[in-house]
Amino acid sequence: MSKLPRPTISDVAKAAKTGKTSVSRYLNGEQNLLSEDLRLRIEHAIAALDYRPSLMAQGLKRGRTRLIGLIIADITNPYSVNVLSGIEAACREKGFTPLVCNTNNELDREQHYLDLLRSYQVEGIVVNAVGMREEALNRLQQSALPMVLIDRKIPDFACDVVGLDNTQAATTATEHLIQQGFEALLFLSEPLGTVNTRRERLSAFRATLARYPGVVAESAETVLHEAAQIDNTLRQFHARHRGMRKAVISANGALTLQVARSLKRIGLHWGSDIGLLGFDELEWAELAGVGITTLKQPTWQIGYAAVEQVVRRIDGSDNTVREQLFSGELIVRGSTSL
Amino acid sequence: MSKLPRPTISDVAKAAKTGKTSVSRYLNGEQNLLSEDLRLRIEHAIAALDYRPSLMAQGLKRGRTRLIGLIIADITNPYSVNVLSGIEAACREKGFTPLVCNTNNELDREQHYLDLLRSYQVEGIVVNAVGMREEALNRLQQSALPMVLIDRKIPDFACDVVGLDNTQAATTATEHLIQQGFEALLFLSEPLGTVNTRRERLSAFRATLARYPGVVAESAETVLHEAAQIDNTLRQFHARHRGMRKAVISANGALTLQVARSLKRIGLHWGSDIGLLGFDELEWAELAGVGITTLKQPTWQIGYAAVEQVVRRIDGSDNTVREQLFSGELIVRGSTSL
DNA sequence: CTGTTAGCGCGTTCAT
DNA sequence: ATGAACGCGCTAACAG
């Protein structure tokens, strides 16, 4: 039960009565250059010793590792894990292996993981910025590695991005509410800062409503975990428009959860007292009261496309900065039909 | 914009006009053995070159990597990501780095990742078996690495486990329902197979009810995504006990979601028509109708304890097989108060 | 206090 | 068709 050292390529060579070169050749697909006899001996030796080449040594030798680093700010976010599926699928197809790092939105951990990934010679990184704090995202420019961002851009920094077509999505959402006959709309978001996704969604919301002068357009920012702030915002919005049909658009899934909790606290029912529409699909959307209308992102495709792009860069087959946008899909439920 | 090679320790040594040994010493905390002058030169050179030691080379040289592999069957499961937080916190404290691998419940991917982790010389692995298929779990015995299981055991294989005290939890849940005056209870689970957690929960359920002869005890197995099957099971259970107060216990969070959907489909309201209690806390539990009573697992602590245990093994400071069980906490909501 | 040297496991010339 | 020898970047003796 003592932990014996892993067998090395030399052990295999010895067991197969040959040199390491031949074993190395065997491993790298140059099997046709080997005699039938030798090949079998090697095959046998490998199986007998349960030998696996050390990726450490391999990576050290040749420069490439076929590793792609993943930086995720908040793995608790359902959006992120869904994107992850697409990422993994693509990695697999392209012959890469993803290294998942969850920074938990802490700056020092991001730095730590970034160093780690570089130390492991990852050939590129995919940054899932959903839920990521601005500062964390901004610091990312440093890494001179092939990098592609998911969801959000770094201001003033040309970099590949793949994410939602925010304008299309917000327009679709807003028009749906108008069609449903809502007369006052509140766009609720986390602090806009320089976060392009939030700003774009809000802009499209405003642009759309500019075409419908009869409808009241409001917007507000709130911190995610300030329950009281959300309560007040919603309560006041509701009070300000007594007698009108009003609805709230929540700018992302995490916020939608908080909004729903808030409405419950202050005793407002979505679908009857107030309309509710949230960005990002939620597995429980149909179960919450009369159901919550959502704008679903094609998360899997987004993840897949991100890897495709980073691989293009790694291969050097494309050097133009790309911005790849996917359309959202409105899923109508009870919360938007008064 | 050509990708220049990363600076090596030799580059640093050259820039600091010294040998690599001193640089190596500088990096490994033996700074007190260096002259003030030299130390500053090295420090300067490192900063100037933005040098990071190659973990590949380091790992190759000394046998240890301070890496812990994580195998997760289904990262989509909220339980898993919550456990992940505890794991990462513990890793950080102990000076390890977690390598997260999501197998998506596919056998070949598990094999792939297992090989990968071993190739990277991870010093131990933590297997989050929540949602893992039995076959996948069973194959895990092979790896002769320090390993600790989360949530579920491998039948007939002595291995560290950390998870829920299923007996305590199921007993608590069952007694709660009895106290609430329910007269017929259905324990609903995914196929029991040899999965100890499911069997233990069911056993405790039965054992508890054995002490209350007046209460009807039933149990059923169902496949997670067979909607029709769940519908039938619930409908028949409801029909079978007309006029009685009845409740369903769902054996895990993923199933609770399906049960709630099913009840909605067949038009039964939890809290009024039927009671509902689910293992695993859900972020949306309070929002679904009158709220769903859950049995919350201390996920963070479970993850943390798992790493503690694997580290103990790595350090060789403990060789006894441990089974560490944590108590669940009942969170009462509307679904269990008729 | 500091530098020289010998491998860690592997891929890769370069000879045979 | 096969093997010997060198070096990837680093640490750990071992000198000095």
Side-chain angles (χ1 to χ4, degrees):
Chain A
M1 203 53 195
S2 71
K3 61 174 192 178
L4 64 184
R6 286 166 36 112
T8 78
I9 198 172
S10 303
D11 296 329
V12 176
K14 211 174 302 166
K17 298 195 222 296
T18 175
K20 1 186 266 180
T21 311
S22 300
V23 180
S24 176
R25 287 204 178 99
Y26 174 89
L27 294 172
N28 293 332
E30 303 178 31
Q31 310 190 8
N32 39 357
L33 299 183
L34 298 178
S35 72
E36 186 64 15
D37 172 48
L38 181 51
R39 209 180 62 199
L40 274 130
R41 269 156 45 213
I42 294 180
E43 183 177 328
H44 203 78
I46 287 184
L49 296 175
D50 188 33
Y51 165 77
R52 313 274 172 202
S54 156
L55 290 182
M56 291 283 174
Q58 273 189 183
L60 188 57
K61 185 58 188 155
R62 39 194 193 204
R64 33 165 60 191
T65 55
R66 302 284 93 174
L67 247 34
I68 289 184
L70 258 47
I71 305 258
I72 298 181
D74 174 19
I75 199 144
T76 276
N77 192 316
Y79 179 95
S80 296
V81 301
N82 285 324
V83 168
L84 193 52
S85 303
I87 288 179
E88 284 173 330
C91 278
R92 197 143 89 125
E93 270 183 39
K94 308 286 183 189
F96 284 80
T97 301
L99 241 44
V100 181
C101 300
N102 175 30
T103 68
N104 202 31
N105 242 328
E106 291 164 34
L107 264 61
D108 55 338
R109 288 179 65 170
E110 179 184 305
Q111 187 60 54
H112 175 76
Y113 276 129
L114 220 47
D115 287 350
L116 184 83
L117 290 178
R118 299 210 304 154
S119 292
Y120 273 114
Q121 311 269 85
V122 300
E123 301 186 44
I125 62 179
V126 173
V127 179
N128 187 326
V130 173
M132 187 174 279
R133 302 213 316 247
E134 279 189 68
E135 330 144 55
L137 189 55
N138 286 334
R139 283 194 338 181
L140 238 36
Q141 319 184 14
Q142 307 170 1
S143 87
L145 229 49
M147 168 169 85
V148 22
L149 260 29
I150 284 182
D151 183 67
R152 191 185 300 181
K153 299 185 215 172
I154 299 178
D156 307 319
F157 178 59
C159 176
D160 296 315
V161 189
V162 24
L164 181 68
D165 182 339
N166 292 297
T167 303
Q168 173 269 344
T171 303
T172 302
T174 308
E175 283 178 340
H176 166 70
L177 292 174
I178 293 170
Q179 280 168 18
Q180 294 296 310
F182 289 99
E183 301 154 322
L185 267 39
L186 171 67
F187 182 93
L188 190 59
S189 162
E190 296 184 67
L192 295 177
T194 57
V195 181
N196 70 302
T197 51
R198 297 177 190 160
R199 303 195 93 97
E200 287 169 16
R201 290 173 193 181
L202 175 56
S203 292
F205 167 77
R206 288 205 176 116
T208 303
L209 281 180
R211 308 202 313 267
Y212 299 87
V215 181
V216 177
E218 289 187 20
S219 63
E221 303 178 16
T222 181
V223 175
L224 199 53
H225 293 293
E226 286 289 349
Q229 192 182 5
I230 303 184
D231 288 359
N232 284 335
T233 304
L234 293 174
R235 198 158 16 209
Q236 287 166 20
F237 172 68
H238 183 255
R240 203 155 42 230
H241 306 287
R242 289 230 170 274
M244 294 176 67
R245 306 171 58 150
K246 48 206 164 304
V248 178
I249 299 187
S250 155
N252 69 55
L255 186 56
T256 306
L257 175 62
Q258 301 306 330
V259 168
R261 284 185 177 154
S262 173
L263 289 176
K264 178 145 188 147
R265 275 194 301 268
I266 64 183
L268 255 33
H269 299 277
W270 52 89
S272 46
D273 302 325
I274 193 169
L276 176 59
L277 186 158
F279 276 75
D280 297 337
E281 170 68 325
L282 307 160
E283 63 173 11
W284 47 272
E286 61 177 298
L287 297 175
V290 294
I292 297 177
T293 297
T294 60
L295 196 126
K296 177 181 186 172
Q297 298 196 40
T299 45
W300 195 92
Q301 285 88 333
I302 288 175
Y304 193 96
V307 171
E308 280 186 324
Q309 178 60 17
V310 82
V311 168
R312 265 195 293 268
R313 269 197 188 286
I314 290 170
D315 295 347
S317 60
D318 186 354
N319 297 310
T320 62
V321 176
R322 293 194 183 224
E323 192 166 330
Q324 232 171 317
L325 266 28
F326 289 82
S327 294
E329 177 194 0
L330 190 69
I331 301 189
V332 179
R333 299 200 179 86
S335 68
T336 55
S337 56
L338 291 203
Chain B
M1 204 52 195
S2 71
K3 62 174 192 176
L4 63 184
R6 286 165 38 110
T8 78
I9 196 172
S10 302
D11 296 331
V12 175
K14 210 174 302 165
K17 299 196 221 295
T18 176
K20 1 190 263 182
T21 310
S22 299
V23 181
S24 176
R25 287 206 179 99
Y26 174 90
L27 294 172
N28 294 334
E30 304 178 30
Q31 308 189 9
N32 38 359
L33 300 183
L34 298 179
S35 71
E36 187 65 13
D37 173 48
L38 181 51
R39 208 180 62 201
L40 271 117
R41 270 157 43 214
I42 295 179
E43 183 177 328
H44 204 77
I46 288 184
L49 297 174
D50 188 33
Y51 165 76
R52 313 275 171 201
S54 155
L55 290 183
M56 292 282 176
Q58 273 188 184
L60 188 57
K61 182 56 189 161
R62 39 193 194 205
R64 35 164 62 191
T65 55
R66 302 282 94 175
L67 248 33
I68 290 184
L70 257 47
I71 305 257
I72 298 181
D74 174 19
I75 197 139
T76 275
N77 193 314
Y79 179 95
S80 296
V81 300
N82 286 324
V83 169
L84 193 50
S85 303
I87 289 179
E88 285 173 327
C91 278
R92 198 143 88 129
E93 267 181 41
K94 309 283 183 191
F96 284 80
T97 301
L99 243 44
V100 181
C101 301
N102 175 29
T103 68
N104 202 31
N105 242 328
E106 292 165 34
L107 265 60
D108 55 338
R109 289 180 62 172
E110 178 183 305
Q111 187 61 55
H112 175 77
Y113 277 129
L114 221 47
D115 287 350
L116 185 82
L117 291 177
R118 299 210 305 153
S119 292
Y120 273 115
Q121 310 267 85
V122 300
E123 302 186 43
I125 61 180
V126 173
V127 179
N128 186 328
V130 173
M132 187 173 279
R133 301 213 315 248
E134 278 188 70
E135 328 145 56
L137 190 56
N138 285 334
R139 283 195 337 181
L140 239 35
Q141 318 183 15
Q142 307 171 1
S143 88
L145 229 49
M147 170 169 84
V148 19
L149 261 30
I150 284 182
D151 183 68
R152 194 185 297 179
K153 299 184 214 173
I154 300 179
D156 306 319
F157 178 60
C159 177
D160 295 314
V161 189
V162 23
L164 181 68
D165 182 339
N166 292 297
T167 302
Q168 173 268 345
T171 303
T172 302
T174 308
E175 283 179 342
H176 167 70
L177 291 173
I178 293 170
Q179 279 169 19
Q180 294 295 310
F182 288 99
E183 301 153 322
L185 267 38
L186 171 66
F187 181 94
L188 191 58
S189 161
E190 295 184 68
L192 294 178
T194 57
V195 181
N196 69 303
T197 53
R198 296 176 190 161
R199 303 194 93 97
E200 287 170 15
R201 290 173 194 182
L202 175 56
S203 292
F205 167 78
R206 288 204 176 119
T208 303
L209 282 179
R211 307 202 312 266
Y212 298 86
V215 182
V216 177
E218 290 188 18
S219 62
E221 304 177 17
T222 181
V223 176
L224 199 53
H225 293 291
E226 287 289 350
Q229 192 183 5
I230 302 183
D231 289 359
N232 284 336
T233 304
L234 293 175
R235 197 158 18 211
Q236 285 166 20
F237 172 68
H238 184 254
R240 202 156 40 231
H241 305 288
R242 291 226 173 275
M244 293 178 68
R245 307 170 58 148
K246 48 204 164 304
V248 178
I249 299 187
S250 156
N252 69 54
L255 186 56
T256 306
L257 175 62
Q258 301 306 328
V259 168
R261 284 184 176 153
S262 173
L263 289 175
K264 178 149 189 144
R265 276 195 300 269
I266 64 182
L268 255 33
H269 300 275
W270 51 89
S272 45
D273 300 327
I274 192 169
L276 176 58
L277 186 158
F279 277 75
D280 297 336
E281 169 68 325
L282 308 161
E283 62 173 11
W284 47 272
E286 60 178 298
L287 297 174
V290 294
I292 296 177
T293 297
T294 60
L295 195 127
K296 176 181 186 172
Q297 298 196 38
T299 44
W300 195 92
Q301 284 88 334
I302 288 175
Y304 193 96
V307 170
E308 280 186 325
Q309 177 62 18
V310 82
V311 168
R312 264 195 292 270
R313 268 196 189 287
I314 290 170
D315 295 348
S317 61
D318 186 355
N319 296 312
T320 61
V321 176
R322 293 194 182 225
E323 192 166 333
Q324 233 171 315
L325 267 29
F326 288 82
S327 294
E329 176 194 359
L330 190 69
I331 300 189
V332 179
R333 299 199 179 85
S335 68
T336 54
S337 55
L338 290 203

